[in-house]
Amino acid sequence: MKMVLAVVGSPRRNGNTHMLVSRIAEGAKSEGAAVDELFLGDYRIGECDGCHNCWKVGRCSKGDDMGDIYPRIVASDAIIFGTPVYWYGPTGLMKMFVDRFVYFNCPANRKKIRNKKAVIAVPFEETDPATARLVEEFFRRSLSYLEMELVGGIIAPGVGQKGQILERTECLDRAYALGKQLV
Ligand SMILES: Cc1cc2nc3c(=O)[nH]c(=O)nc-3n(C[C@H](O)[C@H](O)[C@H](O)COP(=O)(O)O)c2cc1C
């Protein structure tokens, strides 16, 4: 059975990102996948110190919740990265999380992430799709660097209020289809 890690990078529970990520996860489940939801706001995830302890001894020195999260990443076949646009970038929660992927940037750990599939889910208030350009580029380049496969994404402009994504049925339908495609 395929395992999908559904990462919610908005602090707003049941907000637009959470709903979009859940819809992708439902699509994946419909194809028989198991889903592990990771709501980043529930965890203590500190910044990467760049100490490279993970490269030297295979373990992060921070002693925060990433110690339990790394095995969940490794156990997944695919990852959904969901973040709203915050000042044209990802949320701080998502950036801190992805910064900690330095753990996978050494030969011993790279094989734990290589070839995993990924999709992104990015809602935001402005109506210009270019608002998400830096976020898309952040994921495209970072995941490519890590030798992961970015198979697609849902970019959802024009959703500012909590739950507004529910009015965007075409976005939710595309999210469901993307989840099916992911597994
Ligand atoms: C700190 C902060 C920064 C934001 N920056 C932007 C922005 O630069 N462009 C934009 O279109 N929306 C911006 N927004 C709006 C959110 O992207 C929008 O409300 C989104 O739907 C929130 O998703 P959520 O419900 O999953 O939290 C910002 C919101 C916050 C709280």
Side-chain angles (χ1 to χ4, degrees):
M1 184 192 284
K2 297 270 193 220
M3 176 62 76
V4 174
L5 185 66
V7 184
V8 182
S10 168
R12 201 149 68 159
R13 195 178 294 281
N14 300 322
N16 299 314
T17 309
H18 198 178
M19 289 182 184
L20 211 43
V21 167
S22 298
R23 198 76 188 120
I24 297 171
E26 281 167 27
K29 277 188 203 160
S30 77
E31 293 292 321
V35 173
D36 176 14
E37 184 181 283
L38 180 61
F39 192 83
L40 293 180
D42 286 344
Y43 298 90
R44 285 178 310 114
I45 299 174
E47 71 280 8
C48 176
D49 293 337
C51 70
H52 297 153
N53 203 57
C54 52
W55 299 1
K56 292 173 205 145
V57 300
R59 185 173 39 75
C60 179
S61 63
K62 292 292 276 189
D64 60 9
D65 290 338
M66 278 303 285
D68 293 327
I69 292 172
Y70 282 123
R72 292 167 66 182
I73 298 170
V74 173
S76 68
D77 299 291
I79 304 178
I80 305 166
F81 291 92
T83 177
V85 173
Y86 269 19
W87 295 116
Y88 307 100
T91 59
L93 282 172
M94 179 57 79
K95 183 63 167 60
M96 299 269 253
F97 176 66
V98 174
D99 280 1
R100 300 292 289 279
F101 277 50
V102 163
Y103 173 91
F104 298 110
N105 194 28
C106 66
N109 292 335
R110 176 57 66 87
K111 59 180 181 289
K112 300 178 185 176
I113 197 91
R114 182 182 288 129
N115 295 332
K116 286 191 197 296
K117 290 186 175 183
V119 295
I120 60 173
V122 188
F124 50 94
E125 186 163 21
E126 292 171 54
T127 52
D128 181 358
T131 302
R133 197 170 286 155
L134 288 175
V135 178
E136 290 179 81
E137 190 69 354
F138 160 66
F139 282 112
R140 192 182 65 73
R141 296 189 71 155
S142 302
L143 300 179
S144 164
Y145 188 93
L146 288 163
E147 300 173 82
M148 296 175 68
E149 189 192 348
L150 181 60
V151 298
I154 305 295
I155 304 301
V159 283
Q161 300 304 311
K162 185 175 178 180
Q164 200 177 349
I165 194 79
L166 291 175
E167 297 163 10
R168 303 286 300 280
T169 48
E170 112 285 346
C171 260
L172 295 171
D173 290 349
R174 277 193 290 121
Y176 189 80
L178 186 60
K180 286 171 88 72
Q181 187 194 329
L182 185 58
V183 292

